[in-house]
Amino acid sequence: MPPSLLSLMLVVFGLTTGEFVIAGILPDVAADLGVSVPAAGRLVSAYALGMIVGGPVVTVLTARVPRKPLVTGLIAVSVLGNLGSALAPNYPVLLAARFAAGLVVATFFAVAIATAASMAPAGRESSTIAKVALGLNLGIVLGAPLGTVIGQTLGWRATFGSVAALTTLGLLMVLRFVPALPAAATGPLWGELRVFAGRDVRLAIALTALGNVGVVTVFTYIAPLLTEVGGFPEGAVPVLLLVYGAGAVAGNFLGGRLSDRALMPSLAWLLGALAAALALFWAVGGARPPAAVMTFALGLLAFAILPGMQTRVLTSAGAAPTLAVAVNASAFQVAAAFAGWLGGTLIDGPGPRSLLPVAAALTVAGLAVAVHIHRGDRAAVPASTGSG
């Protein structure tokens, strides 16, 4: 892999680890700061809100900034946010630091993907982008479990400090290896924003938010779910996060292949399978072996739906692809923000096991949107053929 792509992938790995590792250290953060687990879960919401706000706002405001200084600036903000998380003296400061760390992530992902595509040989854009996106999967497979082990061994502050150090290494590599490239946009800002006038774009963004909210709710509180419902000891959580991450890698490749063949039909089937898996986890998750199997299945299906959702947004908003990628990331984080609040409310009420049937029902709502989009696509084909 060229050093330029490796540096971008390393930063994606660091940012992804910083986002998902909180699931494994949630009880430790809550105990140390003297807050409840549901309150600690709202740290996920704070990070997600940063991405929601930052995705469209930061991307539009920085559209004319040349890519290399933009990328380095975004990484620097993330490093400061994670350092602030590691040093936070209390819960409110940690909440603010997580918001700051998330503020630049969606824009970085969007610009990194556009930068990778611009450096790719002709006809190899998708495979080049996949190399950068591999950092996301590795963040789930390796970063989150390793960060959890660090947190359980050295304290949760060491986890965020490690993320900051890793991202700093990525920043130094970007400065050394990523070439200078022009800004993503040169026209008026209104030209970028008009992409949201399209009904297809709005439906694609809704699909991302609704299709993910259920499984993100479960993942946010997967540590108490596995220990209190599945009966696993706390020390098994990093291993089970590794199992989830292995499923995520497999799901990413599976979802990509299926979406290349039949985008919306495959998304509908995958969302249906995800809803069924969440319901099955509720039924059999009280025993360790089936809980471990369902953890893998959830990782696989949760990430199998993402390539198709990303592709749907890109094909619906070709006029402003960088902004489309950023806003789609923000839509995913809308789901994460709501998930942090919803999961905490459920744990405070009926308990961790109730997360699963509620998540299944929410996933069915995403399935309904996917079916609606597919029916619209099928209806549009005869109409466009007849008009020609």
Side-chain angles (χ1 to χ4, degrees):
M1 183 184 298
S4 56
L5 295 181
L6 181 61
S7 61
L8 292 173
M9 188 195 77
L10 181 61
V11 177
V12 171
F13 173 74
L15 296 182
T16 303
T17 300
E19 177 180 1
F20 285 95
V21 74
I22 190 71
I25 60 174
L26 206 60
D28 302 300
V29 174
D32 187 54
L33 295 181
V35 298
S36 66
V37 169
R42 294 186 180 98
L43 295 168
V44 177
S45 299
Y47 192 96
L49 285 171
M51 286 189 68
I52 293 165
V53 173
V57 173
V58 175
T59 302
V60 170
L61 293 179
T62 60
R64 293 182 181 84
V65 179
R67 288 182 186 170
K68 186 166 183 176
L70 173 58
V71 166
T72 55
L74 295 172
I75 299 170
V77 172
S78 174
V79 170
L80 292 174
N82 281 293
L83 279 176
S85 301
L87 300 173
N90 52 47
Y91 176 74
V93 174
L94 180 57
L95 206 63
R98 296 318 296 155
F99 177 83
L103 198 61
V104 298
V105 173
T107 302
F108 174 80
F109 282 168
V111 177
I113 288 172
T115 301
S118 67
M119 294 188 297
R124 296 178 59 187
E125 290 84 1
S126 295
S127 60
T128 302
I129 291 171
K131 292 176 183 177
V132 174
L134 179 62
L136 189 149
N137 299 112
L138 292 177
I140 301 294
V141 174
L142 298 176
L146 288 175
T148 300
V149 171
I150 290 172
Q152 292 178 346
T153 305
L154 302 176
W156 63 268
R157 296 179 186 277
T159 297
F160 289 122
S162 300
V163 171
L166 181 66
T167 312
T168 300
L169 175 61
L171 172 59
L172 295 175
M173 291 182 64
V174 166
L175 288 170
R176 173 66 178 84
F177 296 113
V178 173
L181 293 167
T186 56
L189 294 180
W190 175 244
E192 292 283 304
L193 295 172
R194 278 185 303 183
V195 69
F196 301 112
R199 177 176 175 271
D200 287 346
V201 174
R202 296 196 301 270
L203 279 173
I205 292 171
L207 174 63
T208 296
L210 285 174
N212 283 287
V213 65
V215 72
V216 172
T217 300
V218 170
F219 183 78
T220 299
Y221 293 96
I222 197 166
L225 181 65
L226 291 171
T227 55
E228 296 179 31
V229 177
F232 289 98
E234 184 177 316
V237 172
V239 177
L240 290 166
L241 286 175
L242 185 63
V243 170
Y244 184 96
V249 172
N252 187 58
F253 287 108
L254 173 65
R257 288 180 178 272
L258 291 176
S259 64
D260 282 342
R261 295 179 182 178
L263 178 58
M264 292 313 303
S266 68
L267 264 178
W269 280 106
L270 288 169
L271 283 165
L274 178 58
L278 288 162
L280 184 59
F281 201 162
W282 172 78
V284 303
R288 291 186 187 182
V293 171
M294 295 313 301
T295 299
F296 176 85
L298 288 189
L300 186 147
L301 292 167
F303 278 77
I305 62 177
L306 294 181
M309 290 176 174
Q310 183 69 29
T311 300
R312 181 68 190 187
V313 171
L314 288 172
T315 56
S316 301
T322 302
L323 184 58
V325 173
V327 171
N328 195 48
S330 294
F332 181 88
Q333 295 305 319
V334 170
F338 180 71
W341 170 83
L342 175 65
T345 301
L346 290 171
I347 287 179
D348 275 345
R353 193 165 192 166
S354 66
L355 295 169
L356 295 162
V358 172
L362 290 169
T363 305
V364 170
L367 170 60
V369 175
V371 171
H372 177 70
I373 292 173
H374 180 48
R375 286 177 176 172
D377 290 348
R378 292 181 64 184
V381 171
S384 61
T385 303
S387 63

